[in-house]
PDB file of all heavy atoms in Angstrom:
ATOM      1  N   TYR R   1      59.959-111.481 -53.427  1.00 98.00           N
ATOM      2  CA  TYR R   1      60.061-110.276 -54.257  1.00 98.00           C
ATOM      3  C   TYR R   1      60.769-109.181 -53.470  1.00 98.00           C
ATOM      4  O   TYR R   1      60.501-108.989 -52.286  1.00 98.00           O
ATOM      5  CB  TYR R   1      58.668-109.796 -54.672  1.00 98.00           C
ATOM      6  CG  TYR R   1      58.158-110.493 -55.910  1.00 98.00           C
ATOM      7  CD1 TYR R   1      57.901-111.861 -55.895  1.00 98.00           C
ATOM      8  CD2 TYR R   1      57.986-109.803 -57.099  1.00 98.00           C
ATOM      9  CE1 TYR R   1      57.471-112.522 -57.027  1.00 98.00           C
ATOM     10  CE2 TYR R   1      57.552-110.460 -58.243  1.00 98.00           C
ATOM     11  CZ  TYR R   1      57.297-111.810 -58.203  1.00 98.00           C
ATOM     12  OH  TYR R   1      56.887-112.462 -59.347  1.00 98.00           O
ATOM     13  N   THR R   2      61.651-108.465 -54.146  1.00 98.00           N
ATOM     14  CA  THR R   2      62.272-107.338 -53.483  1.00 98.00           C
ATOM     15  C   THR R   2      61.405-106.087 -53.611  1.00 98.00           C
ATOM     16  O   THR R   2      60.826-105.822 -54.663  1.00 98.00           O
ATOM     17  CB  THR R   2      63.686-107.035 -54.018  1.00 98.00           C
ATOM     18  OG1 THR R   2      64.247-105.974 -53.236  1.00 98.00           O
ATOM     19  CG2 THR R   2      63.674-106.623 -55.482  1.00 98.00           C
ATOM     20  N   GLY R   3      61.325-105.385 -52.495  1.00 97.00           N
ATOM     21  CA  GLY R   3      60.782-104.030 -52.490  1.00 97.00           C
ATOM     22  C   GLY R   3      61.831-103.077 -51.961  1.00 97.00           C
ATOM     23  O   GLY R   3      61.554-101.919 -51.683  1.00 97.00           O
ATOM     24  N   ASN R   4      63.075-103.608 -51.810  1.00 97.00           N
ATOM     25  CA  ASN R   4      64.199-102.806 -51.330  1.00 97.00           C
ATOM     26  C   ASN R   4      64.733-101.956 -52.478  1.00 97.00           C
ATOM     27  O   ASN R   4      65.693-102.330 -53.162  1.00 97.00           O
ATOM     28  CB  ASN R   4      65.308-103.724 -50.790  1.00 97.00           C
ATOM     29  CG  ASN R   4      64.934-104.397 -49.490  1.00 97.00           C
ATOM     30  OD1 ASN R   4      64.348-103.796 -48.611  1.00 97.00           O
ATOM     31  ND2 ASN R   4      65.277-105.680 -49.374  1.00 97.00           N
ATOM     32  N   ASP R   5      64.108-100.817 -52.689  1.00 97.00           N
ATOM     33  CA  ASP R   5      64.504 -99.959 -53.803  1.00 97.00           C
ATOM     34  C   ASP R   5      65.940 -99.473 -53.677  1.00 97.00           C
ATOM     35  O   ASP R   5      66.518 -98.996 -54.649  1.00 97.00           O
ATOM     36  CB  ASP R   5      63.567 -98.750 -53.889  1.00 97.00           C
ATOM     37  CG  ASP R   5      62.103 -99.140 -54.022  1.00 97.00           C
ATOM     38  OD1 ASP R   5      61.505 -99.528 -53.001  1.00 97.00           O
ATOM     39  OD2 ASP R   5      61.550 -99.049 -55.132  1.00 97.00           O
ATOM     40  N   ASP R   6      66.517 -99.598 -52.493  1.00 97.00           N
ATOM     41  CA  ASP R   6      67.904 -99.183 -52.291  1.00 97.00           C
ATOM     42  C   ASP R   6      68.903-100.301 -52.582  1.00 97.00           C
ATOM     43  O   ASP R   6      70.114-100.094 -52.472  1.00 97.00           O
ATOM     44  CB  ASP R   6      68.098 -98.699 -50.844  1.00 97.00           C
ATOM     45  CG  ASP R   6      67.916 -99.806 -49.814  1.00 97.00           C
ATOM     46  OD1 ASP R   6      67.225-100.811 -50.123  1.00 97.00           O
ATOM     47  OD2 ASP R   6      68.448 -99.674 -48.703  1.00 97.00           O
ATOM     48  N   ASN R   7      68.418-101.483 -52.986  1.00 97.00           N
ATOM     49  CA  ASN R   7      69.316-102.639 -53.120  1.00 97.00           C
ATOM     50  C   ASN R   7      68.810-103.615 -54.177  1.00 97.00           C
ATOM     51  O   ASN R   7      68.969-104.826 -54.049  1.00 97.00           O
ATOM     52  CB  ASN R   7      69.437-103.355 -51.761  1.00 97.00           C
ATOM     53  CG  ASN R   7      70.645-104.243 -51.657  1.00 97.00           C
ATOM     54  OD1 ASN R   7      71.772-103.788 -51.783  1.00 97.00           O
ATOM     55  ND2 ASN R   7      70.421-105.529 -51.417  1.00 97.00           N
ATOM     56  N   ILE R   8      68.222-103.101 -55.226  1.00 98.00           N
ATOM     57  CA  ILE R   8      67.475-103.935 -56.170  1.00 98.00           C
ATOM     58  C   ILE R   8      68.354-105.000 -56.828  1.00 98.00           C
ATOM     59  O   ILE R   8      68.063-106.199 -56.761  1.00 98.00           O
ATOM     60  CB  ILE R   8      66.806-103.059 -57.251  1.00 98.00           C
ATOM     61  CG1 ILE R   8      65.793-102.102 -56.612  1.00 98.00           C
ATOM     62  CG2 ILE R   8      66.122-103.934 -58.292  1.00 98.00           C
ATOM     63  CD1 ILE R   8      65.288-101.028 -57.568  1.00 98.00           C
ATOM     64  N   ILE R   9      69.409-104.581 -57.479  1.00 98.00           N
ATOM     65  CA  ILE R   9      70.225-105.524 -58.247  1.00 98.00           C
ATOM     66  C   ILE R   9      70.898-106.531 -57.332  1.00 98.00           C
ATOM     67  O   ILE R   9      70.919-107.740 -57.613  1.00 98.00           O
ATOM     68  CB  ILE R   9      71.280-104.775 -59.094  1.00 98.00           C
ATOM     69  CG1 ILE R   9      70.596-103.742 -60.016  1.00 98.00           C
ATOM     70  CG2 ILE R   9      72.100-105.760 -59.911  1.00 98.00           C
ATOM     71  CD1 ILE R   9      69.616-104.326 -61.006  1.00 98.00           C
ATOM     72  N   ALA R  10      71.443-106.068 -56.211  1.00 97.00           N
ATOM     73  CA  ALA R  10      72.106-106.994 -55.285  1.00 97.00           C
ATOM     74  C   ALA R  10      71.132-108.036 -54.753  1.00 97.00           C
ATOM     75  O   ALA R  10      71.508-109.195 -54.538  1.00 97.00           O
ATOM     76  CB  ALA R  10      72.734-106.216 -54.131  1.00 97.00           C
ATOM     77  N   ASP R  11      69.882-107.658 -54.534  1.00 98.00           N
ATOM     78  CA  ASP R  11      68.894-108.644 -54.088  1.00 98.00           C
ATOM     79  C   ASP R  11      68.720-109.755 -55.120  1.00 98.00           C
ATOM     80  O   ASP R  11      68.565-110.930 -54.766  1.00 98.00           O
ATOM     81  CB  ASP R  11      67.548-107.965 -53.812  1.00 98.00           C
ATOM     82  CG  ASP R  11      67.435-107.448 -52.386  1.00 98.00           C
ATOM     83  OD1 ASP R  11      68.350-107.702 -51.581  1.00 98.00           O
ATOM     84  OD2 ASP R  11      66.427-106.781 -52.079  1.00 98.00           O
ATOM     85  N   PHE R  12      68.749-109.398 -56.399  1.00 98.00           N
ATOM     86  CA  PHE R  12      68.589-110.416 -57.434  1.00 98.00           C
ATOM     87  C   PHE R  12      69.829-111.303 -57.566  1.00 98.00           C
ATOM     88  O   PHE R  12      69.725-112.481 -57.926  1.00 98.00           O
ATOM     89  CB  PHE R  12      68.294-109.773 -58.794  1.00 98.00           C
ATOM     90  CG  PHE R  12      66.960-109.092 -58.876  1.00 98.00           C
ATOM     91  CD1 PHE R  12      66.830-107.876 -59.540  1.00 98.00           C
ATOM     92  CD2 PHE R  12      65.840-109.647 -58.302  1.00 98.00           C
ATOM     93  CE1 PHE R  12      65.608-107.242 -59.622  1.00 98.00           C
ATOM     94  CE2 PHE R  12      64.611-109.019 -58.373  1.00 98.00           C
ATOM     95  CZ  PHE R  12      64.495-107.809 -59.037  1.00 98.00           C
ATOM     96  N   LEU R  13      70.988-110.749 -57.296  1.00 97.00           N
ATOM     97  CA  LEU R  13      72.231-111.481 -57.510  1.00 97.00           C
ATOM     98  C   LEU R  13      72.600-112.405 -56.352  1.00 97.00           C
ATOM     99  O   LEU R  13      73.481-113.237 -56.484  1.00 97.00           O
ATOM    100  CB  LEU R  13      73.383-110.490 -57.721  1.00 97.00           C
ATOM    101  CG  LEU R  13      73.299-109.596 -58.954  1.00 97.00           C
ATOM    102  CD1 LEU R  13      74.479-108.624 -58.971  1.00 97.00           C
ATOM    103  CD2 LEU R  13      73.257-110.414 -60.238  1.00 97.00           C
ATOM    104  N   THR R  14      71.909-112.254 -55.228  1.00 97.00           N
ATOM    105  CA  THR R  14      72.323-112.943 -54.009  1.00 97.00           C
ATOM    106  C   THR R  14      71.608-114.277 -53.826  1.00 97.00           C
ATOM    107  O   THR R  14      70.382-114.326 -53.789  1.00 97.00           O
ATOM    108  CB  THR R  14      72.036-112.059 -52.785  1.00 97.00           C
ATOM    109  OG1 THR R  14      72.697-110.801 -52.947  1.00 97.00           O
ATOM    110  CG2 THR R  14      72.511-112.724 -51.512  1.00 97.00           C
ATOM    111  N   PRO R  15      72.369-115.373 -53.677  1.00 96.00           N
ATOM    112  CA  PRO R  15      71.752-116.631 -53.224  1.00 96.00           C
ATOM    113  C   PRO R  15      71.672-116.599 -51.698  1.00 96.00           C
ATOM    114  O   PRO R  15      72.682-116.420 -51.019  1.00 96.00           O
ATOM    115  CB  PRO R  15      72.729-117.704 -53.710  1.00 96.00           C
ATOM    116  CG  PRO R  15      74.048-117.005 -53.848  1.00 96.00           C
ATOM    117  CD  PRO R  15      73.781-115.544 -54.045  1.00 96.00           C
ATOM    118  N   TYR R  16      70.480-116.754 -51.168  1.00 95.00           N
ATOM    119  CA  TYR R  16      70.264-116.688 -49.720  1.00 95.00           C
ATOM    120  C   TYR R  16      70.262-118.101 -49.164  1.00 95.00           C
ATOM    121  O   TYR R  16      69.408-118.917 -49.521  1.00 95.00           O
ATOM    122  CB  TYR R  16      68.946-115.975 -49.408  1.00 95.00           C
ATOM    123  CG  TYR R  16      68.973-114.513 -49.783  1.00 95.00           C
ATOM    124  CD1 TYR R  16      68.633-114.097 -51.066  1.00 95.00           C
ATOM    125  CD2 TYR R  16      69.363-113.556 -48.861  1.00 95.00           C
ATOM    126  CE1 TYR R  16      68.685-112.759 -51.421  1.00 95.00           C
ATOM    127  CE2 TYR R  16      69.406-112.201 -49.206  1.00 95.00           C
ATOM    128  CZ  TYR R  16      69.070-111.815 -50.489  1.00 95.00           C
ATOM    129  OH  TYR R  16      69.123-110.486 -50.832  1.00 95.00           O
ATOM    130  N   SER R  17      71.238-118.382 -48.304  1.00 93.00           N
ATOM    131  CA  SER R  17      71.381-119.724 -47.763  1.00 93.00           C
ATOM    132  C   SER R  17      71.687-119.624 -46.282  1.00 93.00           C
ATOM    133  O   SER R  17      72.452-118.774 -45.850  1.00 93.00           O
ATOM    134  CB  SER R  17      72.512-120.473 -48.483  1.00 93.00           C
ATOM    135  OG  SER R  17      72.720-121.742 -47.920  1.00 93.00           O
ATOM    136  N   PHE R  18      71.074-120.498 -45.495  1.00 91.00           N
ATOM    137  CA  PHE R  18      71.279-120.512 -44.052  1.00 91.00           C
ATOM    138  C   PHE R  18      71.693-121.918 -43.616  1.00 91.00           C
ATOM    139  O   PHE R  18      71.084-122.528 -42.747  1.00 91.00           O
ATOM    140  CB  PHE R  18      70.001-120.051 -43.343  1.00 91.00           C
ATOM    141  CG  PHE R  18      69.556-118.675 -43.778  1.00 91.00           C
ATOM    142  CD1 PHE R  18      68.631-118.533 -44.814  1.00 91.00           C
ATOM    143  CD2 PHE R  18      70.086-117.544 -43.191  1.00 91.00           C
ATOM    144  CE1 PHE R  18      68.236-117.276 -45.240  1.00 91.00           C
ATOM    145  CE2 PHE R  18      69.693-116.279 -43.599  1.00 91.00           C
ATOM    146  CZ  PHE R  18      68.771-116.138 -44.627  1.00 91.00           C
ATOM    147  N   GLY R  19      72.704-122.428 -44.296  1.00 83.00           N
ATOM    148  CA  GLY R  19      73.206-123.742 -43.971  1.00 83.00           C
ATOM    149  C   GLY R  19      72.576-124.860 -44.765  1.00 83.00           C
ATOM    150  O   GLY R  19      72.880-126.038 -44.547  1.00 83.00           O
ATOM    151  N   GLY R  20      71.714-124.494 -45.727  1.00 83.00           N
ATOM    152  CA  GLY R  20      71.066-125.502 -46.566  1.00 83.00           C
ATOM    153  C   GLY R  20      70.997-125.031 -47.998  1.00 83.00           C
ATOM    154  O   GLY R  20      71.828-124.239 -48.450  1.00 83.00           O
ATOM    155  N   ALA R  21      69.983-125.488 -48.719  1.00 87.00           N
ATOM    156  CA  ALA R  21      69.796-125.067 -50.104  1.00 87.00           C
ATOM    157  C   ALA R  21      69.479-123.583 -50.149  1.00 87.00           C
ATOM    158  O   ALA R  21      68.870-123.022 -49.233  1.00 87.00           O
ATOM    159  CB  ALA R  21      68.677-125.878 -50.747  1.00 87.00           C
ATOM    160  N   ALA R  22      69.904-122.940 -51.217  1.00 93.00           N
ATOM    161  CA  ALA R  22      69.727-121.496 -51.341  1.00 93.00           C
ATOM    162  C   ALA R  22      68.386-121.148 -51.970  1.00 93.00           C
ATOM    163  O   ALA R  22      67.816-121.924 -52.742  1.00 93.00           O
ATOM    164  CB  ALA R  22      70.857-120.896 -52.166  1.00 93.00           C
ATOM    165  N   ARG R  23      67.873-119.995 -51.600  1.00 95.00           N
ATOM    166  CA  ARG R  23      66.699-119.416 -52.253  1.00 95.00           C
ATOM    167  C   ARG R  23      67.112-118.112 -52.917  1.00 95.00           C
ATOM    168  O   ARG R  23      68.077-117.461 -52.511  1.00 95.00           O
ATOM    169  CB  ARG R  23      65.593-119.113 -51.230  1.00 95.00           C
ATOM    170  CG  ARG R  23      64.819-120.319 -50.728  1.00 95.00           C
ATOM    171  CD  ARG R  23      63.882-120.908 -51.775  1.00 95.00           C
ATOM    172  NE  ARG R  23      62.922-119.981 -52.312  1.00 95.00           N
ATOM    173  CZ  ARG R  23      61.700-119.766 -51.798  1.00 95.00           C
ATOM    174  NH1 ARG R  23      61.309-120.397 -50.714  1.00 95.00           N
ATOM    175  NH2 ARG R  23      60.857-118.928 -52.386  1.00 95.00           N
ATOM    176  N   ARG R  24      66.322-117.701 -53.925  1.00 97.00           N
ATOM    177  CA  ARG R  24      66.584-116.453 -54.640  1.00 97.00           C
ATOM    178  C   ARG R  24      65.360-115.546 -54.575  1.00 97.00           C
ATOM    179  O   ARG R  24      64.220-116.012 -54.565  1.00 97.00           O
ATOM    180  CB  ARG R  24      66.881-116.746 -56.114  1.00 97.00           C
ATOM    181  CG  ARG R  24      68.198-117.452 -56.361  1.00 97.00           C
ATOM    182  CD  ARG R  24      69.317-116.460 -56.554  1.00 97.00           C
ATOM    183  NE  ARG R  24      70.501-117.088 -57.096  1.00 97.00           N
ATOM    184  CZ  ARG R  24      71.526-116.426 -57.627  1.00 97.00           C
ATOM    185  NH1 ARG R  24      71.504-115.107 -57.692  1.00 97.00           N
ATOM    186  NH2 ARG R  24      72.576-117.066 -58.075  1.00 97.00           N
ATOM    187  N   ILE R  25      65.624-114.269 -54.535  1.00 98.00           N
ATOM    188  CA  ILE R  25      64.577-113.283 -54.794  1.00 98.00           C
ATOM    189  C   ILE R  25      64.390-113.242 -56.303  1.00 98.00           C
ATOM    190  O   ILE R  25      65.337-112.987 -57.056  1.00 98.00           O
ATOM    191  CB  ILE R  25      64.980-111.908 -54.238  1.00 98.00           C
ATOM    192  CG1 ILE R  25      64.942-111.938 -52.707  1.00 98.00           C
ATOM    193  CG2 ILE R  25      64.075-110.818 -54.782  1.00 98.00           C
ATOM    194  CD1 ILE R  25      65.418-110.667 -52.036  1.00 98.00           C
TER     195      ILE R  25
END
């Protein structure tokens, strides 16, 4: 869950991947 009130929409739009399958907020 995002609590980054300064980056709300971008947190939802970003697939987070570190060389493997991606995770989403």
